[in-house]
Amino acid sequence: MFSSCQIRYFSVLGIIATALTSASVVTASSERSFFRQSPRLLKVMTTYGEVSVRVAKYYITIDLPENAGQSLGNVTISQRQGFQQFVFIPDETFAFMGTRNQRGEAINISRVDYNPRNKNTISVNFDPPIPPGNTFTLGLKPESNPDYDGIYLLGITAYPVGEKPEGLYLGVGRLTFHRSGNSW
């Protein structure tokens, strides 16, 4: 039938075929995930526009369209501009479905990472991820509003679920702070 040389040849081919099949499975499972349609940054606002207010909260409202293709797993906010750096209280970060004026159910936050040395970045992970077709609001609590008036910019990036999510920069949210009596 087959010689021992041919049998070894077929064995080697089988090992190569198995290795190629395994490699394609690894490649398929480690593909990057991305949104088919972009989430939209709807609004960024503060509850108090005066400097040095300690009870202020910052709200970031995002719409994840029905045809986004992926659920949203994480949002990262980085301070882009401002005379003074915000100091956030990560344990007081919260999220809910809807907008600030039309609150829905609370969204579970599984982890908040805060790195004031890296562009003053705060990263919020949702568990379970937020499914397409929803508008939600993320709330951040600073220790206080900045002591200096002016315009402060926050860059917002959304990440889909997956092993290697491709972040999508949604844009800049603008917060303006003024001294009491000065309205911009």
Side-chain angles (χ1 to χ4, degrees), residues 19 38 62 69 102 115 120 132 137 147 159 164:
S38 173
I62 297 172
Q102 294 182 330
N115 188 344
N120 201 24
T137 300
D147 296 325
Y159 293 86
K164 294 183 179 179

Side-chain angles (χ1 to χ4, degrees), residues 56-127:
K57 293 178 185 161
Y58 306 155
Y59 291 93
I60 300 164
T61 302
I62 297 172
D63 178 60
L64 186 60
E66 191 71 44
N67 55 352
Q70 293 283 345
S71 293
L72 187 141
N74 174 286
V75 173
T76 300
I77 300 99
S78 300
Q79 186 172 344
R80 302 278 182 181
Q81 177 182 310
F83 188 73
Q84 181 180 346
Q85 188 171 336
F86 294 120
V87 177
F88 293 111
I89 305 170
D91 292 344
E92 293 191 31
T93 302
F94 58 97
F96 52 87
M97 292 296 191
T99 64
R100 179 174 174 245
N101 295 328
Q102 294 182 330
R103 289 183 185 217
E105 67 183 70
I107 297 172
N108 187 51
I109 295 174
S110 61
R111 191 175 84 225
V112 177
D113 296 318
Y114 177 47
N115 188 344
R117 290 184 210 109
N118 181 18
K119 295 183 182 177
N120 201 24
T121 300
I122 189 163
S123 183
V124 181
N125 294 297
F126 304 103
D127 185 22

Side-chain angles (χ1 to χ4, degrees), residues 124-153:
V124 181
N125 294 297
F126 304 103
D127 185 22
I130 299 168
N134 286 291
T135 297
F136 71 96
T137 300
L138 177 62
L140 303 176
K141 177 68 177 98
E143 282 185 357
S144 74
N145 281 347
D147 296 325
Y148 301 97
D149 56 2
I151 297 169
Y152 290 73
L153 302 179

